[in-house]
Amino acid sequence: MRRIAFALVAVVSLAGVATFMAPASGQTDADAAPIFGIKIPPGYRAWSVIAVAHEEGKLNDLRAILGNDVAIAAAREGKLPYPDGAIVARLAWSYDPLAESEKAFGQRQSFVAGPPKNGIQFMVKDSTKYASTGGWGFAQFDDGKPASEAVHNACFACHAIVKARDLVFNRYAP
């Protein structure tokens, strides 16, 4: 539990680090994600944390799941499906051992968020506009630019595994 709490503090304190990853305003239509037409929502860096996660395997990252006010209210209440207007963001950083902690404990003990990785992802709930993908539109931006259409084509198939949770992997962590 201490490790998770430490990671949460690291992610929340590093949320500002993501500021260089993408512009929050002044986007053109060319800046919209393919297929779903989603742009980076202004002010997303100030959204509240829904959850923190550590992905292992090929991804091996530490991530913060943020939500706009609509998503936060639904997550806190455990409301499924999420209401239209909910937006969920996923920020990710490398998952790095803290060298000082290893020296102090004689083993890898603490891990912190390192450089950003795996782009910024968004899910936008609009049950009419995105009816064919469970009511959600998906977007990924790498260095502020939309990822390829192939990346976006993979989103719904992956999230369909958690259909019972309205396609949202993470759960609210109070």
Side-chain angles (χ1 to χ4, degrees):
M1 188 65 166
R2 184 179 304 160
R3 184 183 207 179
I4 293 170
F6 183 79
L8 174 60
V9 170
V11 168
V12 172
S13 67
L14 285 174
V17 172
T19 59
F20 73 90
M21 294 175 69
S25 63
Q27 294 180 322
T28 67
D29 287 340
D31 295 323
I35 304 171
F36 300 99
I38 296 169
K39 295 180 182 179
I40 296 173
Y44 75 90
R45 294 176 196 101
W47 293 353
S48 295
V49 174
I50 293 174
V52 174
H54 171 226
E55 290 287 331
E56 292 190 355
K58 292 178 185 177
L59 295 176
N60 194 33
D61 64 34
L62 184 62
R63 44 186 64 192
I65 311 305
L66 310 176
N68 68 356
D69 290 342
V70 176
I72 289 294
R76 285 181 180 158
E77 296 168 12
K79 183 177 182 176
L80 294 176
Y82 278 75
D84 283 358
I87 306 175
V88 177
R90 192 275 298 147
L91 308 176
W93 299 267
S94 64
Y95 184 69
D96 297 346
L98 184 62
E100 297 85 354
S101 175
E102 189 169 342
K103 289 177 185 175
F105 293 101
Q107 64 182 18
R108 285 188 167 189
Q109 182 76 21
S110 299
F111 293 79
V112 296
K117 66 185 277 190
N118 301 327
I120 301 170
Q121 297 174 344
F122 295 96
M123 291 176 63
V124 176
K125 185 65 181 255
D126 184 326
S127 56
T128 303
K129 185 175 183 178
Y130 305 120
S132 66
T133 52
W136 288 97
F138 300 90
Q140 178 169 327
F141 297 88
D142 300 320
D143 296 321
K145 300 293 179 198
S148 70
E149 191 168 322
V151 167
H152 289 91
N153 275 327
C155 297
F156 176 65
C158 184
H159 283 262
I161 294 167
V162 288
K163 185 177 180 180
R165 287 201 309 268
D166 195 25
L167 308 182
V168 177
F169 280 100
N170 295 95
R171 299 179 187 122
Y172 179 68

